[in-house]
Amino acid sequence: MTSTELLYEGKAKKVFATSDPDVVIVEFKDDATAFNGEKKGQIAQKGVANAAITTRLMNFLASHGIPTHFHKQLDERRLAVARLQMVPLEVVVRNRVAGSLEKRMGVAEGTVLEAPVVELYFKNDALGDPLLNEDHIRAMGIASEELVAQLKKQALEVNRLLQGFFDDRQLILVDFKLEFGMQGGQLLLGDEISPDTCRLWDKKTLRKMDKDRFRRDLGGVEDAYREVLERVLS
Amino acid sequence: MTSTELLYEGKAKKVFATSDPDVVIVEFKDDATAFNGEKKGQIAQKGVANAAITTRLMNFLASHGIPTHFHKQLDERRLAVARLQMVPLEVVVRNRVAGSLEKRMGVAEGTVLEAPVVELYFKNDALGDPLLNEDHIRAMGIASEELVAQLKKQALEVNRLLQGFFDDRQLILVDFKLEFGMQGGQLLLGDEISPDTCRLWDKKTLRKMDKDRFRRDLGGVEDAYREVLERVLS
């Protein structure tokens, strides 16, 4: 499959058109950003790790009934995926308090949530990806009530599956972000699932194994991505 | 009715205990703050205007079936009200885009919302009163699902009544904030309803007649409060 036109370059990925109008190629970069692009850097081999981790997790989810955009891995940095009409929401699922939730709830990092918390953010860099409630989403015409319910239900099912997957690999899935899109009237899970989009902590030591090492200058960033890759492939 | 112990001093009001454990006295101050207390000032006679406006509006709402904390006006700055166990949420209803909603939706001030938008904020100065969704409220144990539904329903009914009330007085109710509390197992509307807590625009000129004149240094603050008072009492 040959890449043609560059359709979009994001902070961590490039998306190319292909000869098939329903398929695009996603190329994973080593570029890393945080705090809405204010912090920039590179994480060596991150693109390679995230492409492989995403491949494994999308295959795992698909085998458990979650419709995803994933077609196949083309090489170490490139995946062929379904071209989606993206829903402009970031769907975040949280099992423990971390990141922005600490300040929103006034609760310490690591606090276990009795039930998962789902958050919907407007995917809009210029506005800083603000949190939305369902009235906002309706007023903005982003998604119907039915679609919002479907997104939340699907995200919780992905959470249930991934929690088990990571737990088997001695990792705690603290929280993660999903993006969805439509193709041919069907809602598909899109984007990536990786230490860029998940908070993953070692089950025994609670060591952070994700992009927080980059965000918070904790060191050992490349090692963490490599370690997650090894555990995910095991 | 005699004030006894000062129970609480807020940014715009003082609350005193009385000899009746179920009744407190609220005293309206001229102090004004904005941007979570970062901007401070005084608005001459604001307390007098807000006490009278709140009295008129609470009476109006009660006469239309909304249970409120209001008992009676004691003098020009003081109201006797039911002592409530407050729900720590600010319930905001919006009919047009203004304030924080401009940046959240990326839509211009004044845009009419097809249906009202309800927002729930955690009433917590230290955290900057963050927006919450219903999962946050559940996780924080702030209110049951039933109570949240009741708050939203009651706020929308208040909106319907106040929109008509203000429209008759040539004012557009752009948005407003309510607070609720419990007494004896009953949910009562609490706090105040005034140009401190409502955005009110003149229907013809769209002139701002509320605290935005103070927030945004538009001048004519006292005049605006006096004008709203006159229209509300008419």
Side-chain angles (χ1 to χ4, degrees), chain A residues 94 101-107 113-122 124 127 130-133 135-136 138-140 152, chain B residues 94 101-107 113-122 124 127 130-133 135-136 138-140 152:
Chain A
R94 299 173 176 274
L101 198 57
E102 288 175 62
K103 283 184 197 158
R104 196 176 298 282
M105 289 179 60
V107 168
L113 296 161
E114 238 176 88
V117 163
V118 180
E119 297 175 326
L120 303 169
Y121 291 89
F122 184 25
N124 186 312
L127 300 176
L131 179 71
L132 300 180
N133 71 24
D135 275 14
H136 299 133
R138 174 184 44 68
M140 295 163 79
K152 287 164 70 177
Chain B
R94 300 173 175 275
L101 198 58
E102 289 174 60
K103 283 183 197 161
R104 196 176 299 281
M105 289 179 58
V107 168
L113 297 162
E114 236 176 88
V117 164
V118 179
E119 297 175 325
L120 303 169
Y121 292 89
F122 184 25
N124 186 312
L127 300 175
L131 180 71
L132 300 180
N133 71 24
D135 275 13
H136 299 132
R138 176 184 42 70
M140 295 163 77
K152 288 165 69 176

Side-chain angles (χ1 to χ4, degrees), chain B residues 98 145 167:
Chain B
E145 210 175 310
D167 186 70

Side-chain angles (χ1 to χ4, degrees), chain B residues 203-220:
Chain B
K203 206 166 140 181
K204 280 207 188 106
T205 64
L206 300 185
R207 180 181 165 85
K208 296 181 202 311
M209 310 284 283
D210 55 56
K211 205 169 86 173
D212 270 347
R213 301 204 74 79
F214 168 78
R215 283 190 195 96
R216 296 159 67 165
D217 296 318
L218 300 176

Side-chain angles (χ1 to χ4, degrees), chain A:
Chain A
M1 184 161 284
T2 337
S3 302
T4 58
E5 182 200 356
L6 177 67
L7 294 174
Y8 165 80
E9 178 157 5
K11 286 174 274 191
K13 297 187 288 290
K14 292 179 184 176
V15 179
F16 297 92
T18 68
S19 51
D20 184 339
D22 291 336
V23 178
V24 293
I25 291 173
V26 178
E27 184 182 311
F28 287 72
K29 304 192 289 183
D30 289 344
D31 297 343
T33 64
F35 312 118
N36 199 27
E38 273 174 44
K39 179 171 184 166
K40 288 180 189 181
Q42 291 246 327
I43 301 171
Q45 296 299 104
K46 173 171 84 77
V48 176
N50 285 359
I53 294 167
T54 296
T55 295
R56 177 71 183 97
L57 294 175
M58 290 286 180
N59 279 327
F60 167 74
L61 292 172
S63 73
H64 287 79
I66 304 289
T68 88
H69 71 151
F70 182 79
H71 287 191
K72 64 178 171 189
Q73 183 160 16
L74 300 173
D75 57 38
E76 62 174 13
R77 288 184 182 269
R78 296 189 314 142
L79 315 184
V81 303
R83 184 171 189 165
L84 302 181
Q85 190 73 34
M86 296 306 292
V87 178
L89 293 173
E90 299 192 339
V91 184
V92 171
V93 183
R94 299 173 176 274
N95 298 305
R96 289 192 184 222
V97 174
S100 66
L101 198 57
E102 288 175 62
K103 283 184 197 158
R104 196 176 298 282
M105 289 179 60
V107 168
E109 180 180 73
T111 304
V112 175
L113 296 161
E114 238 176 88
V117 163
V118 180
E119 297 175 326
L120 303 169
Y121 291 89
F122 184 25
K123 192 170 164 64
N124 186 312
D125 281 341
L127 300 176
D129 300 330
L131 179 71
L132 300 180
N133 71 24
E134 297 184 27
D135 275 14
H136 299 133
I137 292 170
R138 174 184 44 68
M140 295 163 79
I142 289 178
S144 67
E145 209 174 312
E146 295 68 33
L147 180 56
V148 170
Q150 205 184 344
L151 291 170
K152 287 164 70 177
K153 190 180 161 202
Q154 200 73 320
L156 286 170
E157 177 63 6
V158 168
N159 182 50
R160 195 183 66 76
L161 292 165
L162 290 184
Q163 271 195 306
F165 181 93
F166 284 118
D167 186 70
D168 288 347
R169 288 154 181 86
Q170 308 302 312
L171 287 166
I172 296 169
L173 180 60
V174 172
D175 58 36
F176 60 97
K177 183 259 296 180
L178 300 177
E179 296 183 25
F180 292 87
M182 307 295 295
Q183 188 181 73
Q186 202 194 3
L187 183 70
L188 301 179
L189 175 61
D191 198 41
E192 66 180 286
I193 309 174
S194 74
D196 271 14
T197 62
C198 302
R199 282 193 175 89
L200 296 164
W201 294 356
D202 180 77
K203 206 165 139 184
K204 280 208 188 104
T205 64
L206 300 185
R207 181 181 164 86
K208 296 180 202 310
M209 310 285 283
D210 55 56
K211 205 169 85 174
D212 270 347
R213 301 206 74 80
F214 168 77
R215 284 190 195 95
R216 294 159 68 166
D217 295 319
L218 300 176
V221 186
E222 287 83 359
D223 283 350
Y225 279 72
R226 197 179 312 125
E227 173 74 20
V228 169
L229 173 61
E230 277 173 26
R231 295 200 201 178
V232 163
L233 296 186
S234 71

Side-chain angles (χ1 to χ4, degrees), chain B residues 135-186:
Chain B
D135 275 13
H136 299 132
I137 292 171
R138 176 184 42 70
M140 295 163 77
I142 288 178
S144 68
E145 210 175 310
E146 295 69 33
L147 181 55
V148 170
Q150 204 184 345
L151 290 170
K152 288 165 69 176
K153 191 180 161 200
Q154 199 72 319
L156 286 170
E157 177 63 7
V158 169
N159 182 51
R160 196 184 64 77
L161 292 165
L162 290 184
Q163 273 196 305
F165 181 93
F166 284 119
D167 186 70
D168 289 346
R169 288 155 182 85
Q170 307 303 311
L171 288 167
I172 296 169
L173 180 60
V174 173
D175 57 35
F176 60 97
K177 182 259 296 181
L178 300 177
E179 296 183 26
F180 292 86
M182 307 295 295
Q183 188 181 75
Q186 201 193 1

